Amino acid sequence: MVQNLVVALIVVLALLHALSKYLPAAWREQIVYALARRGVDQAKAAKWLHTEASCGSGCASCKSCATPEPAAPTGHRVIKLHQRP
């Protein structure tokens, strides 16, 4: 009996983990909002379902908000040669 409950718990946790990774982002956001209406902490639910704000939050983890680096000049390339001692 206890073994069946443990197996059921493991299966449910695996299902929740798979859903948190592979559901479309819009569905995950709707789940976060539904959980928040029922009293679950919205920030924790958003973190668990990977729906946190990215660039708008200023986290700078994806580096896509940063200004792009200037491109190298397309003119002549300089090759430096050093003589061995």
Side-chain angles (χ1 to χ4, degrees):
M1 177 75 178
V2 174
Q3 292 173 347
N4 291 338
L5 291 175
V6 171
V7 170
L9 178 66
I10 291 172
V11 169
V12 167
L13 290 176
L15 176 68
L16 291 175
H17 177 70
L19 290 178
S20 73
K21 290 221 176 262
Y22 299 115
L23 275 179
W27 291 10
R28 290 181 295 180
E29 289 174 0
Q30 289 177 355
I31 291 171
V32 169
Y33 294 141
L35 290 173
R37 283 193 300 264
R38 287 173 175 72
V40 176
D41 185 21
Q42 187 173 5
K44 288 181 182 178
K47 185 176 181 180
W48 181 73
L49 288 171
H50 308 290
T51 60
E52 301 100 0
S54 58
C55 289
S57 66
C59 66
S61 63
C62 63
K63 304 280 192 246
S64 65
C65 302
T67 57
E69 294 183 19
T74 58
H76 301 284
R77 291 178 43 182
V78 177
I79 299 175
K80 294 182 180 181
L81 300 175
H82 299 279
Q83 189 174 19
R84 290 187 179 182

